[in-house]
Amino acid sequence: MNLLRAAFATVLFLAPVFAQEVPPPWPILQSIEGGNPLPGSAPLDWEGDLSRKLVEANDRFLDRRIEAAAKKRSTFWKPDHSSPEAYTRSVEENRKQLVEMLGLHRDSREENQNLEWSGNVNSLHTPLYPGIAVSRVRWRAFDRVYGRGLLVTPLHLRSSYPPEPPPADVIVIPDAGQSPEEMIAPGRNGTGVAMALELARVGCRVLVPSLISREENKWTLTNREWLHRPAFLHGRTLTTYELQKILSAVDCLRNLRAKDERTNDHAIGIVGHGEGGWLAMLAAAVDPRIDACATSGSFGPREGLWQGPVERNIFGLLNQFGDAEIAGLIYPRAFLAVAGNEPDWSYRTDAQGQLALEEKYTSKKGKPAVYPRPTEKAFTNEFERFRTLIGSPENAMIASSWSESRDGIGSAELGQFLSWLGVGKGEPVELFPTHTDETAEALSSQGHIGSAEEIAEIDRHNQLLLVDAARVRKDYFKDLKTDSLESFKETIESYREKFRTEVIGDFEIPLAPAHPRTRLYEEGPKTISYEVILDVFDESVGEDRVIAYGILTLPKDLDPASGEKRPVIVCQHGLEGSPQDVIGESKYKAYKAFATRLAERGFITFSPQNGYKYFDLFRLQQFKAQSIGKTLFSIIVPQHRQITKWLAEQPFVDGDKIAFYGLSYGGKSAMRIPPLVDRYCLSICSADFNEWVWKNAATDEASLRYSYANKGEYEIFEWNLGGTFNYAEMAALICPRPFMVERGHFDGVGSDESVAYEYAKVRNLYQAGLGIGDRCEIEWFVGPHSIHGEGTYRFLHQHLDWPE
C-alpha cells in the first residue's frame, strides 16, 4: 500500500512536467480554424515565381504609362496658328519647360566669350584643300569647362581687311563616335562626306565642336556614362553640358559677327549627325537665335528613350516632348530631318542586337543601350505629328528625307538647308571626295581634339557641384521651421509634397480594392506564415495588373478572438532579395531570419516583395519610369500604401503601430517609403544609411571604394537629389516619427565617418532642434552588412510599446 501511495504521489508530482510536453492549442490556430486561406481572403492559386510575376507586371505597367503619356502630351500644348509670331509666343512656356528639364538653367554660361585659337591644323602641312583654313579653337562655356573644336574658314574671308563676314555661320556636330577631324576627312573610317568642308566651300564659316567619345574607360563604362552619372544627381546630364558648349559657341560666333559693322544680319545654322543630330535639334529648340537646323540619324519616335544611350535620360521628357514637339519649338525657323542613316552603335546587346537582360553582374558595368533606329513608317508618322502641331502651314521651311546611306545629309538636302540660310538658291551641293591620304596623315599626326581634357573638366565640375551640394540643399530647405514641433510639422509638408511629385514621382492612380488572396506558406514552432497577394492599381486585368506580394507571419499565441491587436513590423529585403529571404534560412548571414525572430518576440511581421530584383529587368524599369518623371519607388510606394491599408484592416492588427525595418536596398527603401506612407509609425534603416549624395557622385580614387559612380548599379542615380534630399533631409520627412540607423563597422556601403557625418544632422534635428532626441538612435556594432538585431529590437519594443 505504501508503495502504491508513493507511486501515485510520484505521478501527481510529474504530471505538470508531462503536460508541458504537449503544446496547448494555439489561440491563433483556433481563431482561424487552421484556415487556408486566411479568413476574409480568397484562395491564392497562382503558380510559379510570384516575385518575378510582380516585377514583370511592373514592367508592363510602365510600358502602358509611357504609351499613356504620349497620348496625353497634347494637353500641355496650346499652339496659336494665326501667325508665325503668334505661334512662337504660344509655345514659349513649353520652351521654358524644356530648358528646365534639360537643367540648362543651373549653370550660367560665360558672357562675352570669344574663340581662342590654338593652332592651325594645316600649319605644318600642305593645306587640306585649296582656299580653306582649318584651325583648332576652344571657348569657355561655363565655370572652368571649355568647348573645343575645329574652325573651318574660307580663305577669301581673310584676304580683305577687315576680314569679310561670311554669308552664314554653321555649327556642324559629329556623332559621339566621330571626332571633329572626321567632319573634314571622314574617309578615315571608310564612309561619310566632309560636311564641314562642303559648307566652307560655298562660303560658310564652320565650327565643328567635339563631343565626349563613347570609348570605354578602365571601369568598362563609356566615357559618356561615367560623366553622366554624377551630373544626373546634380540635376544635369552630359547632354546638358554639351548643349551648354554648343550654345556658348553660338555666343562666340555672334560676337565675331558683332565686331563687323558692315552687317547686322547674322544667319546661324546648326547641323548634326547621330548624337550630334539630337544635340542640334535640342539646341535649336531652346535657342531662337539659330535660324536653321538639320538633323541626321536622330529624328523619330522617342518613346523608346529608355533603350537609348544613358546620357539621353532626361527626367520627365516624354510627358511633354517627343521629337515632334521638340521640332515644334524650332518652327517657324527652318527644320530638316533625315533618318534611316543612324549610327550603328550598341552596348551590352545580344547577338540579335537586342538589349541583353542579364541576371548577374557582367564585366561591363554600364546600362545596356542600343542607338535608336526608327522604321521609315515610324519616322514619317513622327514628322507628320510635327507638321500637325505647327498647323500644316504652306511654304513652311520644313522638310524630311529617308536615306539609308551612312553619308549623313545628301547633296540635295544640303542645298535646301543652305538656301534657308540665304546661301545659294537651293540647288544640290556638289560633294567633296571623302578623303585623301595626305589629309588623313595630316590629321592623325596631330591627334584628336582635347578628349582627355574635356573629360577631366566635366568631371571636375561634377565634383565641385558635389562640394557645393550641401549649401544648395540648405538653401532649398530655408523655409523649414524648427522653433517648435508644431511649426516643423506645418512647414515640412511642402517638402514632402516636392519629394512625392518631383523626386519620387506619383502616378496619381487611386488604390484599387485589394482583393486579398492568401495561402498557408509554412508553420514553425511558434509562428505561422501566409503568402499574400493584393491588387494595387485597377487600370488593368489579370497578371498585367500591378500587385503587392509578401509573406505575413503571425505569432501562434496571438488571440484575435479576445480582441487582441498587435503591432506589425514590415521587414524589407535588400537588392535581389525576396520575402523568403527574411523569414528563413536563405541568406541567413545577412538577414538573420529577422521577420521570424521578431514574430517569435510577439510581433506580427509582413515581408513584402519590392521591385528591385532580376538585375537588368528591374534596372531598365528605372529608365522607363524616369522618362516620364517617375522612379521605381513610384510603384513601390503605392504597393506599401496598399499593404499597410490591408494590414490595418485585419482584426488582429493595431493599425496605429505599423513599423518599417529594411536592410541594404531595404534600408534605401526605409528612407523613401515611410516619408510617403503615413501609416508607418517609425522607420529603421539598416546597412544603407550614408552621405548618399557623396556615395553616388564622388569620383576621386579614395571615394571610389564606396561610390556607385563606377559600379554596376547603373539605375541607382536619382534626378537632382544633390540639390534637394540627401539622407538627412529624407529623415526630416520621417520626423517626428521615431527613426533609427543600424550600422556595422565593417559594412562596405560606406565609411563610419560618412555615416556619422550624415547621422549627426538627423540627431541635431531631433534633439537640438525639436527636443525629441529619445526618438532618434544609431547602433554601431562590430560586424558586416547585416541585421544585428539587438539595439533595433529594443527600439521596436520601446516605440511599439510591446514587452520584450
Side-chain angles (χ1 to χ4, degrees):
M1 180 63 71
N2 290 336
L3 288 174
L4 285 173
R5 286 196 187 100
F8 183 67
T10 301
V11 169
L12 290 176
F13 177 76
L14 293 176
V17 177
F18 291 127
Q20 290 176 11
E21 293 179 359
V22 180
W26 294 102
I28 186 62
L29 298 181
Q30 290 182 334
S31 176
I32 63 178
E33 299 176 351
N36 187 16
L38 278 172
S41 66
L44 174 57
D45 57 4
W46 287 17
E47 299 298 329
D49 184 347
L50 301 188
S51 297
R52 182 175 282 276
K53 289 181 184 294
L54 179 145
V55 175
E56 290 178 345
N58 289 355
D59 195 56
R60 293 188 291 270
F61 169 75
L62 289 170
D63 289 338
R64 295 194 297 274
R65 299 322 296 173
I66 290 173
E67 183 180 350
K71 293 177 179 178
K72 188 180 178 182
R73 198 174 292 150
S74 61
T75 61
F76 293 96
W77 291 77
K78 307 296 180 186
D80 184 343
H81 299 132
S82 61
S83 70
E85 295 76 16
Y87 175 87
T88 300
R89 289 192 297 271
S90 70
V91 299
E92 195 56 37
E93 185 58 35
N94 300 94
R95 194 186 323 278
K96 292 177 182 177
Q97 289 294 314
L98 182 59
V99 167
E100 290 191 7
M101 285 182 182
L102 291 168
L104 288 169
H105 60 299
R106 292 195 165 93
D107 293 310
S108 298
R109 295 200 308 275
E110 298 293 329
E111 297 182 359
N112 301 317
Q113 290 299 307
N114 290 298
L115 299 176
E116 301 175 10
W117 270 255
S118 55
N120 293 332
V121 168
N122 49 343
S123 58
L124 301 177
H125 303 273
T126 302
L128 301 180
Y129 289 97
I132 294 174
V134 181
S135 302
R136 297 180 184 272
V137 293
R138 74 169 192 169
W139 60 98
R140 190 168 179 177
F142 59 95
D143 191 43
R144 289 183 284 175
V145 177
Y146 286 81
R148 289 173 174 81
L150 298 178
L151 186 68
V152 186
T153 309
L155 287 175
H156 76 269
L157 299 181
R158 296 183 176 184
S159 60
S160 62
Y161 184 82
E164 181 182 343
D169 285 320
V170 183
I171 298 173
V172 176
I173 314 172
D175 179 53
Q178 299 172 306
S179 67
E181 293 86 351
E182 289 175 63
M183 295 292 98
I184 298 171
R188 298 168 70 194
N189 282 345
T191 62
V193 295
M195 179 67 65
L197 294 179
E198 305 287 353
L199 294 165
R201 186 172 65 87
V202 297
C204 297
R205 180 169 53 199
V206 183
L207 179 61
V208 188
S210 65
L211 302 185
I212 300 298
S213 77
R214 294 195 188 101
E215 293 177 356
E216 293 181 24
N217 61 21
K218 62 183 179 181
W219 298 290
T220 69
L221 297 171
T222 66
N223 290 325
R224 298 181 69 78
E225 182 163 0
W226 165 250
L227 296 175
H228 170 82
R229 287 179 171 192
F232 194 79
L233 205 76
H234 296 304
R236 298 152 174 89
T237 66
L238 181 59
T239 295
T240 311
Y241 293 147
E242 292 184 326
L243 279 173
Q244 293 282 30
K245 293 182 181 184
I246 293 164
L247 299 178
S248 183
V250 173
D251 298 337
C252 292
L253 292 174
R254 286 176 61 86
N255 289 340
L256 278 175
R257 180 63 66 91
K259 294 177 180 179
D260 194 315
E261 298 178 355
R262 290 176 289 180
T263 177
N264 291 321
D265 295 331
H266 188 76
I268 294 183
I270 191 165
V271 182
H273 176 65
E275 199 65 34
W278 169 241
L279 292 166
M281 189 164 60
L282 290 172
V286 301
D287 193 341
R289 300 175 302 171
I290 297 171
D291 299 293
C293 172
T295 178
S296 163
S298 185
F299 188 88
R302 196 54 59 182
E303 282 64 44
L305 184 69
W306 62 273
Q307 301 179 73
V310 66
E311 65 273 13
R312 293 192 180 189
N313 183 28
I314 299 170
F315 192 72
L317 180 73
L318 298 186
N319 288 331
Q320 296 189 40
F321 297 96
D323 281 14
E325 288 77 16
I326 293 171
L329 294 178
I330 299 173
Y331 178 77
R333 293 164 291 138
F335 178 66
L336 166 67
V338 180
N341 58 350
E342 290 74 22
D344 185 15
W345 176 83
S346 62
Y347 176 88
R348 287 189 60 203
T349 52
D350 59 23
Q352 289 72 44
Q354 303 299 311
L355 299 183
L357 300 183
E358 304 288 349
E359 295 203 359
K360 61 182 180 180
Y361 289 111
T362 68
S363 59
K364 293 183 182 291
K365 297 177 181 177
K367 171 191 172 293
V370 60
Y371 195 92
R373 298 183 60 82
T375 63
E376 185 173 0
K377 181 179 180 181
F379 166 69
T380 301
N381 289 345
E382 190 69 12
F383 197 84
E384 285 306 308
R385 281 208 321 112
F386 158 58
R387 193 187 297 274
T388 300
L389 175 64
I390 65 176
S392 303
E394 297 181 2
N395 304 318
M397 295 183 293
I398 62 172
S400 65
S401 174
W402 180 264
S403 170
E404 296 185 2
S405 166
R406 289 291 179 269
D407 288 348
I409 296 175
S411 61
E413 290 85 0
L414 191 59
Q416 186 172 40
F417 173 76
L418 285 167
S419 71
W420 291 335
L421 291 174
V423 181
K425 299 180 180 179
E427 64 277 5
V429 175
E430 182 181 354
L431 300 181
F432 267 98
T434 57
H435 74 285
T436 66
D437 292 338
E438 182 181 9
T439 302
E441 181 181 351
L443 292 169
S444 296
S445 68
Q446 298 187 38
H448 295 324
I449 291 174
S451 177
E453 294 94 334
E454 289 184 290
I455 292 171
E457 286 171 1
I458 293 176
D459 182 37
R460 180 174 62 241
H461 183 71
N462 282 335
Q463 297 312 292
L464 290 173
L465 293 175
L466 178 58
V467 171
D468 195 41
R471 180 199 61 80
V472 175
R473 291 192 302 275
K474 185 176 181 180
D475 183 65
Y476 182 75
F477 269 82
K478 64 180 182 295
D479 294 328
L480 180 65
K481 299 185 184 305
T482 58
D483 55 312
S484 70
L485 193 55
E486 291 71 24
S487 294
F488 173 81
K489 289 179 179 179
E490 181 180 344
T491 55
I492 195 64
E493 286 308 309
S494 64
Y495 293 99
R496 191 186 319 282
E497 182 67 7
K498 291 177 181 179
F499 187 69
R500 179 183 72 85
T501 58
E502 299 174 12
V503 176
I504 297 298
D506 193 332
F507 285 107
E508 309 283 359
I509 301 175
L511 293 178
H515 296 140
R517 286 87 81 197
T518 68
R519 67 183 171 211
L520 182 66
Y521 178 70
E522 68 179 16
E523 183 176 349
K526 297 181 180 180
T527 63
I528 185 168
S529 298
Y530 287 82
E531 285 187 297
V532 179
I533 282 184
L534 310 171
D535 290 341
V536 177
F537 295 143
D538 206 9
E539 49 79 63
S540 189
V541 296
E543 293 191 8
D544 273 351
R545 180 174 291 181
V546 174
I547 59 169
Y549 163 59
I551 295 178
L552 177 72
T553 301
L554 303 173
K556 285 184 175 179
D557 62 354
L558 174 64
D559 187 6
S562 69
E564 181 185 22
K565 294 177 181 286
R566 294 196 186 180
V568 180
I569 303 168
V570 172
C571 300
Q572 191 61 63
H573 64 77
L575 182 65
E576 295 298 325
S578 69
Q580 289 76 10
D581 294 337
V582 304
I583 68 167
E585 297 304 309
S586 174
K587 300 183 182 179
Y588 183 84
K589 183 178 180 180
Y591 293 109
K592 306 293 192 298
F594 76 114
T596 300
R597 297 292 87 82
L598 287 166
E600 290 170 348
R601 286 171 167 258
F603 297 108
I604 298 166
T605 66
F606 189 89
S607 308
Q609 178 67 59
N610 275 2
Y612 36 79
K613 186 174 172 66
Y614 306 111
F615 286 82
D616 288 326
L617 175 59
F618 95 80
R619 290 195 160 99
L620 288 172
Q621 289 177 21
Q622 177 82 318
F623 291 85
K624 289 184 178 184
Q626 287 177 338
S627 74
I628 51 175
K630 308 297 188 293
T631 64
L632 289 173
F633 283 93
S634 302
I635 302 176
I636 294 172
V637 165
Q639 288 168 330
H640 279 256
R641 286 178 180 149
Q642 189 72 303
I643 288 167
T644 55
K645 180 175 181 292
W646 177 76
L647 286 171
E649 292 169 352
Q650 301 313 298
F652 44 78
V653 168
D654 184 341
D656 294 327
K657 295 179 180 178
I658 303 177
F660 190 98
Y661 185 0
L663 173 86
S664 193
Y665 224 114
K668 175 180 166 75
S669 300
M671 303 308 301
R672 289 160 179 80
I673 298 173
L676 301 177
V677 180
D678 55 12
R679 287 187 188 273
Y680 282 127
C681 67
L682 66 79
S683 182
I684 299 175
C685 177
S686 176
D688 183 76
F689 190 87
N690 219 312
E691 212 281 39
W692 186 256
V693 173
W694 163 81
K695 181 174 174 60
N696 280 251
T699 59
D700 62 282
E701 289 294 334
S703 298
L704 285 176
R705 173 185 174 186
Y706 304 109
S707 175
Y708 281 122
N710 65 340
K711 303 298 191 301
E713 290 84 352
Y714 57 83
E715 89 295 344
I716 209 82
F717 306 92
E718 297 159 281
W719 176 249
N720 197 30
L721 215 59
T724 53
F725 295 88
N726 204 339
Y727 271 13
E729 288 79 19
M730 292 185 201
L733 299 178
I734 297 169
C735 183
R737 291 169 287 174
F739 173 72
M740 184 172 181
V741 173
E742 186 175 45
R743 162 69 186 177
H745 288 299
F746 304 139
D747 190 339
V749 301
S751 65
D752 279 352
E753 293 85 350
S754 65
V755 175
Y757 169 78
E758 193 68 11
Y759 175 75
K761 292 182 279 185
V762 182
R763 180 68 182 172
N764 180 272
L765 171 66
Y766 272 80
Q767 184 172 23
L770 300 175
I772 51 174
D774 59 318
R775 303 184 196 180
C776 181
E777 292 185 26
I778 187 170
E779 181 188 28
W780 305 88
F781 66 93
V782 180
H785 188 76
S786 68
I787 294 289
H788 186 53
E790 292 187 9
T792 52
Y793 287 7
R794 289 193 297 271
F795 189 81
L796 289 165
H797 280 286
Q798 174 189 348
H799 291 286
L800 296 178
D801 194 22
W802 187 256
E804 291 194 50

